[in-house]
Amino acid sequence: MGHSEDELVKRIHRDLRDDFDEELELELEDRDFGVADGDTPEAASDRKRYFRELFRLQSELVKLQDWVQHTGHKVVILFEGRDAAGKGGVIKRITQRLNPRVCRVAALPAPNDRERTQWYFQRYVSHLPAAGEIVLFDRSWYNRAGVERVMGFCTDEQYEEFFRSAPEFERMLQRSGIQLIKYWFSISDDEQRIRFLSRIHDPLKQWKLSPMDLESRRRWEAYTVAKEVMLERTHTPESPWWVVRADDKKRARLNCISHLLAQMPYEDVPHADIELPARQRAEDYIRNPVPQSLIVPEVY
């Protein structure tokens, strides 16, 4: 059944509205998208500016993705920081519009018994990119310098060996043609407390809290010391750390994405014009009705 031009335009507009609703849904975790009741004009303007910049930066990320595919570039981006620092939020905004076959996330669970006996970096190697791929590590091999050190999950010898091995491991990655970018998300003591309380009292966020997260709150100072040592011993000219101030989640996302884009000399990749081919129709084809028993009930 064909559609008139007016019907087609209406359908396209409806699809666009649905896409916009999807964008708002992804922002629900912030509880403050759009213009809320009682908003000041300044707050409403800030939200509009945030969305405008986010969509602009995401369009640039699509260009970056095309360039990475076209050139065969290989990229690894590490996201480290305290619990509730906002790493997951920026990763979600980076990947939101990208092809998961090109840009994927590696978020490894705690090592199993077999992995504990492997070379420390071994389980991360299998997640490294091939040509034309971007891999975002939501926490990385720097677990050893952070949570494993603070929680006593590694020995002093393993800890020291990590600092001997990590810079050389990263140089090996770079010599193989992988571009490595490392981000540390920095939040204040008070901001982490507020975010943890928000998770405790929000049923939609409670899954984000683990016993390890709560223990990390108690050991705030130990994590601070571990972070300072890590940055001092693994910040090298070839593989520097970049610190993102993350008390303001929205600003942190925009600043991180903007900085990430500036790290690569990407450019527009020319694409051939796309034309929708006409559908082939067979005169003897009759579409069979779908059995009612297979239909999902239309509750809404």
Side-chain angles (χ1 to χ4, degrees):
M1 176 74 71
H3 297 282
S4 69
E5 278 299 310
D6 286 344
E7 289 175 330
L8 188 59
V9 169
K10 288 178 182 177
R11 286 284 301 276
I12 292 172
H13 277 265
R14 190 157 66 244
D15 284 345
L16 290 172
R17 284 199 301 274
D18 289 343
D19 287 344
F20 181 67
D21 287 345
E22 206 169 286
E23 303 299 338
L24 293 181
E25 183 180 339
L26 285 170
E27 292 298 324
L28 274 173
E29 69 172 20
D30 297 319
R31 301 295 193 272
D32 62 355
F33 62 87
V35 180
D37 292 339
D39 252 356
T40 64
E42 183 180 0
S45 176
D46 285 345
R47 286 198 187 93
K48 290 179 181 177
R49 185 162 52 248
Y50 165 71
F51 278 109
R52 186 168 57 247
E53 278 302 294
L54 178 63
F55 296 158
R56 183 186 68 81
L57 291 171
Q58 287 179 329
S59 71
E60 292 297 315
L61 285 170
V62 173
K63 294 179 187 177
L64 171 64
Q65 170 187 257
D66 288 348
W67 177 81
V68 166
Q69 269 192 296
H70 181 72
T71 61
H73 200 56
K74 295 181 284 187
V75 188
V76 167
I77 309 166
L78 310 187
F79 294 88
E80 295 287 345
R82 297 181 188 272
D83 296 310
K87 302 179 297 297
V90 75
I91 290 172
K92 184 188 296 182
R93 273 71 185 183
I94 290 172
T95 59
Q96 184 176 342
R97 300 177 186 278
L98 302 185
N99 184 343
R101 293 182 179 85
V102 178
C103 181
R104 54 188 168 83
V105 179
L108 278 63
N112 58 35
D113 291 342
R114 180 175 180 275
E115 289 170 333
R116 290 190 186 96
T117 67
Q118 294 175 341
W119 175 50
Y120 177 69
F121 297 94
Q122 187 169 337
R123 71 192 195 113
Y124 296 99
V125 170
S126 63
H127 296 274
L128 295 174
E133 293 180 350
I134 304 170
V135 178
L136 314 179
F137 278 89
D138 187 353
R139 296 197 182 280
S140 67
W141 45 89
Y142 282 98
N143 277 335
R144 174 136 296 177
V147 62
E148 291 192 17
R149 174 62 171 177
V150 174
M151 303 303 293
F153 296 154
C154 66
T155 66
D156 289 345
E157 292 77 13
Q158 289 171 327
Y159 180 65
E160 286 302 318
E161 178 57 35
F162 171 80
F163 286 124
R164 285 191 291 269
S165 299
E168 184 55 36
F169 175 66
E170 291 171 6
R171 282 191 284 268
M172 290 169 60
L173 297 183
Q174 291 166 326
R175 288 197 299 269
S176 76
I178 294 175
Q179 181 176 3
L180 176 65
I181 304 170
K182 304 188 297 191
Y183 288 112
W184 174 270
F185 277 66
S186 177
I187 59 169
S188 64
D189 182 352
D190 193 49
E191 182 62 24
Q192 188 192 52
R193 180 180 67 85
I194 291 170
R195 293 184 189 180
F196 273 7
L197 288 173
S198 173
R199 292 180 179 184
I200 288 171
H201 296 292
D202 188 340
L204 297 178
K205 291 184 177 180
Q206 284 178 1
W207 66 270
K208 293 184 175 183
L209 277 177
S210 69
M212 198 72 67
D213 296 334
L214 298 175
E215 184 63 19
S216 75
R217 176 65 191 162
R218 192 173 71 83
R219 304 194 189 196
W220 172 274
E221 292 183 3
Y223 271 93
T224 300
V225 172
K227 175 204 73 174
E228 291 171 348
V229 172
M230 181 193 80
L231 294 181
E232 179 183 353
R233 299 186 67 176
T234 59
H235 176 80
T236 63
E238 306 90 354
S239 182
W241 279 101
W242 299 101
V243 177
V244 180
R245 294 177 179 172
D247 274 6
D248 185 317
K249 289 189 287 187
K250 286 185 170 66
R251 289 180 184 274
R253 293 167 192 163
L254 298 181
N255 288 331
C256 182
I257 297 173
S258 175
H259 183 271
L260 172 62
L261 290 166
Q263 302 310 299
M264 280 170 271
Y266 73 98
E267 55 190 7
D268 283 335
V269 175
H271 293 281
D273 292 338
I274 299 174
E275 292 186 9
L276 188 66
R279 180 193 147 188
Q280 294 181 345
R281 297 180 182 274
E283 292 183 3
D284 59 345
Y285 171 73
I286 300 176
R287 182 177 179 180
N288 294 318
V290 178
Q292 193 63 33
S293 60
L294 302 183
I295 302 295
V296 172
E298 295 185 354
V299 179
Y300 300 99

